Amino acid sequence: MTTSAPAAREAGHGLTYAVLGWAVAYGGVRLAWTVGEAPEFGRFGTDLLGFTGWLSVAMCVAAGVLAVALDRLVVWWPVLAAVTWATAGALVAAAAILLPELVGFLLFTVGPYFDPLAFVSRLGCVTGAVLLGLATARYQRRTRGDCPDCCRTVRPGLRHSTPARWARWAAYATVAGLVARFAAQAVVGFDGLIDDATMVGLMIGMVLAGVLLPLALVHRWGEVWPGWVPLLAGRTIARLLLLVPGFGIGTGIVAYFGMGMVQVVSGSESEFSDAFLWVAMAAYSILGLGLVAASTDYHLRTRRPCGACGR
């Protein structure tokens, strides 16, 4: 059943109001912290990276203004879409510390430097990024002629049943990025890492995210459980089982280590050499970008045809 135009329009207004509400609420907090006295955030000294003070306030204002512009325009304007996606990306990058914190939760530890207020602030920042991203996606559907039910646009070469060549290369690049990361660590040594249970768990997670996940995204055994898996052999694998960590981890890694590179360029002090930091962060960035690319192909390849448009 297709969505009626009035209902779709009403839903779009609701999304715009959500972004505006977030901009007022979160922006108000950022403004109060900027003109007043911001809380102490422990070891990091800040809740966000890069976009703090008046820059954080400006980001909230920009998100609200862009959401209104997206809602009012009735024609496709690529520049506006690019600016709004960039703004959403900047909000994610500002909250990049959220990635290791979430990994810590998965390992049942938050570490000695965890700050609840900073964590909530980062969640709030990412919430704004998600809302603005949804508003941008809705604008694209509405103005480019995409299907209102499935958001798809007919483009040559978009539908395929086997992994695209570029997706395979992206998956292999992900594995290469992980190998480069461990090679850099081997040069400086693993002293102190293998004695920490949390770090061992993190390294195991890195292997799963940097080897098993990307290869599953571009091979048949990432769509159907292999014969050696008890009870599940031959059954279709739920798409979200790969897509959620693929997009989530990939995007988080790119944001976190992208901001790390910015800090290295700006001359931030570190216990590691610049050579190690550049190699490690570049390797992580390749890993993250490869995951996002392979996940994109997996999504396009495995989604079901739309009942409304048949695409």
Side-chain angles (χ1 to χ4, degrees):
M1 181 180 295
T2 58
T3 306
S4 64
R9 187 66 178 168
E10 192 66 28
H13 286 318
L15 190 55
T16 302
Y17 296 146
V19 177
L20 286 174
W22 170 86
V24 171
Y26 190 72
V29 172
R30 304 305 313 184
L31 179 61
W33 287 354
T34 300
V35 299
E37 185 176 352
E40 296 291 337
F41 292 111
R43 179 191 184 190
F44 290 107
T46 181
D47 56 334
L48 301 181
L49 296 176
F51 300 97
T52 57
W54 287 109
L55 273 179
S56 64
V57 176
M59 291 290 287
C60 294
V61 173
V65 172
L66 288 170
V68 173
L70 293 172
D71 187 63
R72 295 300 179 88
L73 281 178
V74 295
V75 295
W76 169 238
W77 194 17
V79 174
L80 177 61
V83 171
T84 49
W85 280 122
T87 302
L91 289 170
V92 172
I97 299 176
L98 197 62
L99 175 64
E101 290 179 326
L102 293 177
V103 172
F105 283 132
L106 292 176
L107 298 175
F108 302 102
T109 176
V110 295
Y113 304 109
F114 178 75
D115 188 305
L117 181 59
F119 178 75
V120 171
S121 175
R122 291 166 195 141
L123 281 179
C125 189
V126 171
T127 298
V130 171
L131 291 174
L132 185 59
L134 290 174
T136 309
R138 174 188 167 272
Y139 166 73
Q140 293 180 177
R141 293 198 303 271
R142 181 168 53 84
T143 59
R144 294 191 311 181
D146 295 5
C147 174
D149 280 27
C150 69
C151 315
R152 302 178 196 180
T153 299
V154 176
R155 287 194 287 271
L158 204 57
R159 292 193 59 82
H160 50 280
S161 57
T162 58
R165 180 178 298 179
W166 56 265
R168 290 186 182 275
W169 279 110
Y172 300 146
T174 300
V175 178
L178 181 68
V179 172
R181 172 63 184 89
F182 276 114
Q185 190 65 52
V187 171
V188 298
F190 289 89
D191 296 341
L193 296 180
I194 57 177
D195 298 329
D196 187 336
T198 299
M199 292 304 301
V200 172
L202 180 59
M203 287 189 286
I204 293 174
M206 287 170 56
V207 172
L208 294 176
V211 178
L212 184 62
L213 179 57
L215 294 181
L217 289 168
V218 296
H219 287 88
R220 177 64 177 169
W221 50 270
E223 299 177 40
V224 178
W225 290 104
W228 49 267
V229 179
L231 304 179
L232 296 175
R235 295 188 179 185
T236 301
I237 297 177
R239 299 173 67 245
L240 293 181
L241 189 63
L242 297 183
L243 289 178
V244 171
F247 280 120
I249 296 175
T251 302
I253 286 176
V254 171
Y256 184 77
F257 290 100
M259 290 300 292
M261 286 186 175
V262 172
Q263 289 183 311
V264 172
V265 171
S266 63
S268 298
E269 294 184 2
S270 173
E271 58 183 301
F272 301 104
S273 67
D274 288 347
F276 171 81
L277 290 175
W278 276 112
V279 172
M281 291 185 180
Y284 271 127
S285 298
I286 292 172
L287 190 157
L289 291 171
L291 272 180
V292 172
S295 299
T296 299
D297 179 77
Y298 183 87
H299 164 65
L300 297 174
R301 190 176 74 253
T302 60
R303 62 184 182 178
R304 295 179 179 178
C306 175
C309 67
R311 301 172 193 168

